[in-house]
Amino acid sequence: MTAIIPHRFRGPNTSGNGGYGAGAVAAALGRPLGPAEVTLQSPPPLDVELTVATDGDGVRVTYHDVAVAMARPAPLELEIPTPVSIAEAEQASHDCPWLVDHPYPQCFVCGTQRPDGLRIFPGPVAGRRVAAAPWTPDATVCSDDGTALPAVVWASVDCPSLFGYGCFAEWPALMLLGRFTAEVYRLPRLGEPCVTMGWALGHEGRKYDTAAALHTADGDLLAASRALWITLKPAS
């Protein structure tokens, strides 16, 4: 079995967005909607066939014998805060800290130089310790049945979790997604207004534990995730 991450769904310029990549690996596991835990072992390469091999109840993904990711079925255990309204999310997005000097402007999810991306720009919600932004799926990220692609929904609850930390504390050194557990409860529909929100759970050393959720405008839960981000080691 193989999997491919198209160039459109990049995070950094030369590798896949972590959330989208995790969703693609979960699909290879046979759980495109989760719940599943995906550990990213190296930056997912773009536009190439990745080898997927069964490993017990999980899968391992490699490229030319380089470990890329592994995935296994796993429950998502998470207490989700009160949803954010569309109006609150729109206001918060105006204060997104990466609207200027974005370290990854080409990111499919939150990149400021991606007219073909999701353009999710989370900012701090007034009076709360959550970051949020609006998102409406367009036709380019939906399947023929009019619902958003599962891996795109995984992506929508990736970057916002990091902003849930960074909007309320000094940004740490650049971080990459290390582990991602997600579950999609319902795929949003084409043109359906949604709100994505993220919040911090804690951190220890170079590891940052965060979470995110996607709701409808009426506050119905569509998807949720828990992410472990790891700061890059300083150059020696």
Side-chain angles (χ1 to χ4, degrees), residues 71-115:
R72 65 182 183 89
L76 176 64
E77 299 175 350
L78 191 64
E79 184 175 340
I80 298 174
T82 302
V84 174
S85 71
I86 286 281
E88 289 175 312
E90 289 175 344
Q91 181 60 45
S93 67
H94 295 311
D95 296 320
C96 175
W98 280 358
L99 290 178
V100 179
D101 295 329
H102 198 307
Y104 298 115
Q106 296 299 320
C107 177
F108 170 68
V109 177
C110 65
T112 51
Q113 296 178 12
R114 289 298 304 275

Side-chain angles (χ1 to χ4, degrees), residues 2 16 55 57 70 81 92 118 121 194 207 213 233:
T2 60
D55 183 12
D57 65 348
M70 55 185 180
L118 300 187
F121 306 132
C194 302
K207 299 178 179 180
K233 291 182 179 179

Side-chain angles (χ1 to χ4, degrees), residues 199-226:
W199 61 99
L201 298 173
H203 82 276
E204 180 178 356
R206 294 172 51 230
K207 299 178 179 180
Y208 289 76
D209 191 11
T210 63
L214 182 71
H215 291 90
T216 67
D218 293 328
D220 297 327
L221 182 63
L222 296 171
S225 70
R226 185 165 184 167

Side-chain angles (χ1 to χ4, degrees), residues 41-81:
Q41 298 166 290
S42 62
L46 302 167
D47 290 335
V48 295
E49 288 192 346
L50 306 176
T51 300
V52 180
T54 301
D55 183 12
D57 65 348
V59 295
R60 290 185 177 273
V61 180
T62 58
Y63 179 63
H64 290 175
D65 296 325
V66 175
V68 174
M70 55 185 180
R72 65 182 183 89
L76 176 64
E77 299 175 350
L78 191 64
E79 184 175 340
I80 298 174

